[in-house]
Amino acid sequence: MFNIIGKIFGKQDFEPLIEKINSLEPELEKLSGEELKSKSFEFKKLVQEGKELGEILPEAFALIREASKRVLGQRHFDVQLIGGIILHQGKIAEMMTGEGKTLAATAPVYLNALTGKGVHVITVNDYLARRDAIWMGQIYSSLGMSIGCLAHETAFVYDSEYKGAASQEDEKRDELGSFKIFQDFLRPVSRKEAYSTDIVYGTNNEFGFDYLRDNLAYDPSQQAQTGHYFAIIDEVDSILIDEARTPLIISGPDAESSEYYKIFARVASRLEKGEDYIVDEKARTASITDKGIDKVEETLGIKDIYDAQNFRLVHYLEESLKAKALFFKDKHYIVEKGEVVIIDEFTGRKMYGRRYSGGLHQAIEAKEGVEIKQETRTFAQITIQNYFRLYEKISGMTGTAQTSAEEFHKVYNLEVVSVPPNKPVARKNYPDAIYKNFEAKYRAIVEETRERHMAGQPVLLGTASITNNELLSGLFKRAGIPHETLNAKNHEREGEIIAQAGRLGAVTVATNMAGRGVDIILGGNPAISEQAEKVKKLGGLHVIGTERHEARRIDNQLRGRSGRQGDPGSSRFFLSLEDDLLRIFGGERIKSLMESFNLPEDQPIESSLVSRAVNEAQRKIEGLNFDLRKHLLEYDDVLNKQRTAFYKKRQEILAGVKEDKSPLMMLDVLWMNHLENLEALRESVGMRAYGQKEPLIEYRRESYIMFKEMTANFERWREEQKEKIKQIPNDQLSISNEGPSVLNSKPVENWKLKIENSQSGKIGRNDPCPCGSGKKYKKCHGA
């Protein structure tokens, strides 16, 4: 074992630590459950008195393993302990699918939670957050640790005595067979109480949005988060890379523009691709042509849409054109209960609460004919990258990190370390089968699935979109192949579907949802070993990829569903020259290779030369996406420094005021205006490249000036308020620890009262806002 480990890790020698942990096992086995808990309290006291975590690591790791053996009947493998050490060191542990990353994380989570500072465990969805809080919560609880869990619009703490009001459907146990799905053991609490626990599970969205909400609170008691000490990020590549392009934004309604979007949705629907507008699929842009402009102006009955007075109309046109040409239903979003819900193209999951910015979401709503929500005004925002930079230490785990090792190092200063599997991988990965067109590819997929299904071998098929997921399901129905489908539309049954995907003859068609987080158990149930043996003899789970994804990591995640823990398995990807990836990024080269073989339509090419060309296309788009994320981060780094300074200042003011919140609220108004100004600046500096100026340098320089002006405006406002208070007679003031407050109801010349008076018609909607922002009242506090 350690010879292999030495080859993988090079200079880093884990053998002494592992031997030390293992040597403590016989002694701990003699202790009672209460004695184990007492030892845990003893460790906690030592750490909080100043003992270094590294000094106590062997004892803490041995203790958590002993607790796991007793509570779950699962003993950490040596390689899981190695993964835990890597996580504690603040690195990324690359562990293959099925190697037990969830259990491996318990050791560093427990060790760092001994500090009492709170450890955050980040998951990719609510399902896994709740599952792991219950599943791993049993171990932590046995050692005296408290566990919190965040979910969409609610929060829980783990409570072994709590029994939820479970319906008959919810009584079903999940694939682990060890607990009821989310009903028992999770007691609803306030978010603040959940954060006050030793260990908190939740998605990156929940943690990020809570941070923003805390910095919008008008009372410290409303703030939930207690700090940012240590975070372990499960499926770290999905969260820190795939989701990094979309910032977290809290916004509120602004001026209504629903009718305009409806009008321009109809205008855009009449435009013809290639004639009225041009699409650049590589750059994901849509540009209107002169002929298209003429058609728009004729439809609207205006002479020049680019005239200054029509500036806002150009915005509606551009967003409506994007919605038509670049964003597609059941690929980028779905329509659910009359709402447009974004689909994460990397995970295939619904992104509740997230909306496209800049009017794009409204344009899509108009295109789909659903209710158009008001355009929004940004109150607070942060990128995923900069949220996780708040932590003193972060680490992560995934089955696929090495292909993105450069980005992890450059952006997050995270090292990737590969952990060997507990048992050698027995999965057979067949070469890609590439066909000339969609029809030939899907015929081959149906035939291969039919053959393996008839033999009894379970098959998992991965699709990159809901559209293709449903297309394949329809083909299977026509072919008489019984199957289950899993996508964002029926994600509620995810656990149940995945639990049965490894049984004899099972066929499961899934989007990227099936690629992460849960294991597919051969035979469908760990208790039925006879079924599992039959499936193993048939070759284990066979994975079919119906197209290559933009990132090789996503393909590797799909492959990794098969061949877990030394089980047999196989995988094959079916491609066609009409697939987006090959058509846009590698079509001509591959097409010439295909034609050189002179094969019939239904005859695939299985050649290492072609596979290399496919990998080259993937590397090319990975590079483009890396550049996009890097570009986003460079600009957000400028905002991040200002945001950090602003939130620090806001927190200081919040701690010093009790009754009078006007310092309104005023700081927040100025910050919202500043965010809008920065967005406009970012759009404008791009044009300066034509004048031989570096846009990023211009953005840094001007944004700094704008931030200083915003700060000066606030200080000037505070001085004005102090002067006004001085002018108020003493009999109208009450002095307390919170400072002076006006007791009389006599008129006081401040903008807050002016705004209140606006309700009686004293301020017109088009008048300047009394707060001094320079905006019209209807665009500011009148909104």
Side-chain angles (χ1 to χ4, degrees):
M1 163 65 75
F2 288 108
N3 287 336
I4 298 172
I5 291 173
K7 290 177 184 176
I8 299 285
F9 299 111
K11 292 181 181 178
Q12 193 166 5
D13 187 6
F14 292 97
E15 185 172 356
L17 271 177
I18 300 301
E19 286 183 346
K20 173 67 174 172
I21 295 167
N22 289 339
S23 71
L24 297 169
E25 190 167 20
E27 180 187 333
L28 292 175
E29 285 177 330
K30 297 173 186 175
L31 301 181
S32 67
E34 281 305 310
E35 286 172 325
L36 288 180
K37 186 179 284 189
S38 295
K39 211 159 190 59
S40 180
F41 289 137
E42 179 188 325
F43 290 163
K44 195 166 190 176
K45 186 181 178 197
L46 286 171
V47 170
Q48 294 182 10
E49 286 175 352
K51 196 173 184 72
E52 292 290 329
L53 290 180
E55 297 178 59
I56 209 168
L57 186 149
E59 288 82 1
F61 274 42
L63 189 66
I64 197 82
R65 178 159 74 178
E66 184 61 32
S68 177
K69 279 164 54 182
R70 298 188 187 191
V71 173
L72 297 182
Q74 295 181 331
R75 179 183 181 275
H76 295 67
F77 301 129
D78 285 356
V79 290
Q80 287 175 309
L81 295 177
I82 290 169
I85 295 168
I86 292 166
L87 292 172
H88 168 65
Q89 292 174 340
K91 300 175 182 176
I92 292 175
E94 185 183 62
M95 300 177 68
M96 293 184 65
T97 300
E99 291 298 308
K101 293 188 289 293
T102 306
L103 190 62
T106 56
V109 166
Y110 169 70
L111 174 63
N112 284 270
L114 292 171
T115 62
K117 295 180 181 178
V119 175
H120 297 170
V121 185
I122 319 297
T123 65
V124 291
N125 58 62
D126 279 352
Y127 171 88
L128 294 176
R130 296 192 191 194
R131 185 200 73 174
D132 293 351
I134 297 172
W135 186 20
M136 299 299 107
Q138 298 171 73
I139 307 175
Y140 302 129
S141 181
S142 73
L143 294 177
M145 290 285 179
S146 55
I147 303 94
C149 177
L150 308 176
H152 186 57
E153 297 182 347
T154 187
F156 308 90
V157 291
Y158 175 83
D159 184 346
S160 60
E161 302 299 317
Y162 179 76
K163 301 293 180 184
S167 65
Q168 186 174 357
E169 180 67 22
D170 291 325
E171 288 279 350
K172 292 180 180 177
R173 294 178 180 268
D174 81 343
E175 72 274 13
L176 298 165
S178 59
F179 57 86
K180 294 171 187 173
I181 301 179
F182 313 149
Q183 292 296 324
D184 291 352
F185 314 133
L186 288 183
R187 176 167 53 82
V189 295
S190 70
R191 241 163 164 72
K192 188 162 188 144
E193 187 176 345
Y195 274 109
S196 68
T197 58
D198 296 307
I199 300 156
V200 189
Y201 284 86
T203 66
N204 55 298
N205 285 354
E206 295 303 317
F207 284 105
F209 279 126
D210 282 343
Y211 169 72
L212 295 178
R213 280 190 284 264
D214 278 359
N215 284 288
L216 289 172
Y218 286 117
D219 193 309
S221 66
Q222 297 170 351
Q223 296 177 320
Q225 289 189 346
T226 53
H228 298 89
Y229 166 58
F230 178 42
I232 291 184
I233 306 170
D234 192 12
E235 306 300 353
V236 65
D237 53 329
S238 175
I239 290 171
L240 292 190
I241 293 180
D242 296 340
E243 293 197 36
R245 282 187 290 182
T246 309
L248 303 175
I249 297 174
I250 290 182
S251 55
D254 196 3
E256 292 188 38
S257 50
S258 304
E259 290 306 312
Y260 283 107
Y261 282 112
K262 289 177 184 176
I263 292 167
F264 276 89
R266 290 195 292 270
V267 170
S269 69
R270 296 171 187 169
L271 300 179
E272 299 293 331
K273 183 179 178 180
E275 183 177 318
D276 300 319
Y277 64 93
I278 305 295
V279 175
D280 184 336
E281 294 185 88
K282 286 186 182 180
R284 282 187 62 76
T285 59
S287 307
I288 193 160
T289 63
D290 289 341
K291 189 170 182 179
I293 292 170
D294 291 340
K295 187 180 285 188
V296 170
E297 290 172 345
E298 184 182 348
T299 305
L300 295 175
I302 59 177
K303 288 184 178 180
D304 183 4
I305 194 171
Y306 290 97
D307 187 273
Q309 66 181 358
N310 297 324
F311 179 77
R312 194 65 186 162
L313 301 184
V314 176
H315 167 74
Y316 297 128
L317 173 61
E318 288 176 348
E319 297 307 314
S320 299
L321 184 57
K322 266 196 261 181
K324 171 187 169 68
L326 301 174
F327 291 82
F328 304 105
K329 183 179 175 182
D330 290 343
K331 182 176 182 180
H332 300 103
Y333 62 89
I334 62 170
V335 176
E336 179 182 86
K337 298 178 181 176
E339 290 192 8
V340 171
V341 180
I342 299 172
I343 297 296
D344 187 320
E345 56 187 297
F346 293 98
T347 65
R349 299 184 187 280
K350 288 184 272 195
M351 301 172 76
Y352 289 114
R354 300 279 280 269
R355 288 176 66 84
Y356 296 116
S357 59
L360 176 60
H361 211 95
Q362 287 81 5
I364 293 172
E365 288 169 333
K367 181 181 82 169
E368 296 297 340
V370 300
E371 180 189 353
I372 301 172
K373 303 289 173 59
Q374 288 183 333
E375 281 198 83
T376 56
R377 188 173 188 203
T378 299
F379 296 158
Q381 70 178 69
I382 193 169
T383 58
I384 293 294
Q385 295 108 313
N386 276 321
Y387 173 71
F388 283 108
R389 285 175 169 182
L390 294 170
Y391 286 85
E392 294 177 37
K393 179 172 70 172
I394 62 169
S395 61
M397 49 189 180
T398 180
T400 49
Q402 285 294 356
T403 55
S404 299
E406 180 187 3
E407 185 165 353
F408 281 124
H409 176 68
K410 285 184 176 177
V411 176
Y412 302 100
N413 196 29
L414 284 171
E415 181 185 342
V416 176
V417 184
S418 296
V419 181
N422 186 52
K423 295 179 182 177
V425 179
R427 183 182 64 247
K428 183 173 182 180
N429 297 323
Y430 292 100
D432 296 344
I434 304 181
Y435 293 83
K436 285 186 175 178
N437 54 45
F438 282 133
E439 289 77 10
K441 177 179 81 168
Y442 280 111
R443 281 197 296 270
I445 290 171
V446 170
E447 191 52 41
E448 168 129 343
T449 305
R450 188 206 311 275
E451 287 176 7
R452 293 185 183 268
H453 167 68
M454 294 299 290
Q457 185 178 13
V459 181
L460 172 70
L461 299 102
T463 64
S465 68
I466 298 173
T467 302
N468 289 344
N469 181 272
E470 294 177 340
L471 169 66
L472 198 54
S473 176
L475 293 173
F476 282 166
K477 284 175 183 174
R478 284 201 287 275
I481 300 173
H483 63 283
E484 286 275 12
T485 61
L486 174 61
N487 58 48
K489 292 182 177 179
N490 69 335
H491 69 105
E492 296 84 3
R493 295 184 58 233
E494 178 178 355
E496 181 186 342
I497 292 171
I498 291 297
Q500 300 303 316
R503 62 184 167 77
L504 280 170
V507 175
T508 309
V509 184
T511 56
N512 294 329
M513 293 176 73
R516 294 183 183 270
V518 289
D519 288 334
I520 295 174
I521 299 170
L522 298 186
N525 190 320
I528 308 176
S529 57
E530 183 183 330
Q531 283 247 350
E533 288 306 311
K534 285 182 182 177
V535 172
K536 287 179 183 178
K537 286 178 183 176
L538 290 166
L541 178 70
H542 182 59
V543 169
I544 293 177
T546 60
E547 61 187 286
R548 287 291 196 116
H549 199 275
E550 289 181 356
R552 289 167 291 170
R553 293 177 293 100
I554 310 298
D555 296 339
N556 292 337
Q557 282 283 348
L558 179 61
R559 273 203 177 104
R561 294 298 102 194
S562 173
R564 61 185 290 278
Q565 280 294 317
D567 285 342
S570 55
S571 72
R572 185 195 297 273
F573 277 78
F574 287 76
L575 316 177
S576 90
L577 293 180
E578 295 178 343
D579 291 350
D580 287 347
L581 179 74
L582 301 186
R583 181 176 54 80
I584 298 169
F585 290 93
E588 288 306 315
R589 184 179 175 190
I590 293 175
K591 192 172 183 179
S592 63
L593 286 170
M594 179 71 90
E595 289 169 353
S596 69
F597 284 95
N598 197 27
L599 296 172
E601 189 179 86
D602 283 341
Q603 180 77 33
I605 293 179
E606 293 183 3
S607 161
S608 59
L609 188 67
V610 177
S611 293
R612 277 201 301 273
V614 172
N615 286 330
E616 185 61 35
Q618 284 183 304
R619 276 194 293 270
K620 193 183 295 182
I621 196 167
E622 283 172 354
L624 288 171
N625 287 335
F626 180 19
D627 289 342
L628 283 172
R629 289 188 292 267
K630 188 166 174 273
H631 184 69
L632 173 71
L633 186 60
E634 285 172 341
Y635 279 88
D636 194 62
D637 277 345
V638 179
L639 173 57
N640 194 53
K641 289 174 184 175
Q642 298 181 5
R643 176 173 44 235
T644 303
F646 171 79
Y647 283 165
K648 184 181 178 183
K649 179 76 172 175
R650 190 183 190 279
Q651 197 65 26
E652 289 171 358
I653 293 171
L654 196 62
V657 298
K658 298 294 180 185
E659 301 302 325
D660 182 17
K661 306 300 182 186
S662 59
L664 162 80
M665 294 175 182
M666 170 54 79
L667 200 59
D668 288 344
V669 168
L670 292 172
W671 179 247
M672 283 188 283
N673 291 338
H674 183 64
L675 289 177
E676 289 183 352
N677 292 338
L678 285 183
E679 187 62 33
L681 173 64
R682 184 172 169 181
E683 290 176 5
S684 67
V685 293
M687 301 296 292
R688 301 186 193 181
Y690 294 107
Q692 305 302 308
K693 292 184 178 180
E694 172 56 48
L696 182 58
I697 293 174
E698 293 287 294
Y699 181 76
R700 283 175 181 155
R701 183 179 63 81
E702 294 200 22
S703 65
Y704 176 75
I705 295 169
M706 291 162 62
F707 184 72
K708 285 292 185 184
E709 287 177 353
M710 180 197 76
T711 307
N713 285 340
F714 176 69
E715 295 303 331
R716 188 161 50 248
W717 176 84
R718 291 192 83 177
E719 289 302 317
E720 288 173 359
Q721 297 309 299
K722 289 177 185 175
E723 286 301 315
K724 285 172 183 174
I725 289 173
K726 286 179 184 177
Q727 295 169 17
I728 300 171
N730 288 337
D731 63 346
Q732 294 179 26
L733 286 175
S734 169
I735 306 299
S736 67
N737 292 333
E738 289 79 30
S741 63
V742 178
L743 294 180
N744 259 3
S745 59
K746 291 181 181 179
V748 178
E749 286 296 314
N750 65 54
W751 68 273
K752 188 178 178 185
L753 284 180
K754 285 184 180 179
I755 288 173
E756 290 170 356
N757 289 339
S758 69
Q759 294 176 348
S760 60
K762 292 183 181 179
I763 297 180
R765 285 182 54 75
N766 289 311
D767 290 342
C769 188
C771 76
S773 67
K775 296 191 169 216
K776 290 182 179 179
Y777 174 66
K778 68 180 181 182
K779 289 278 190 176
C780 194
H781 283 79

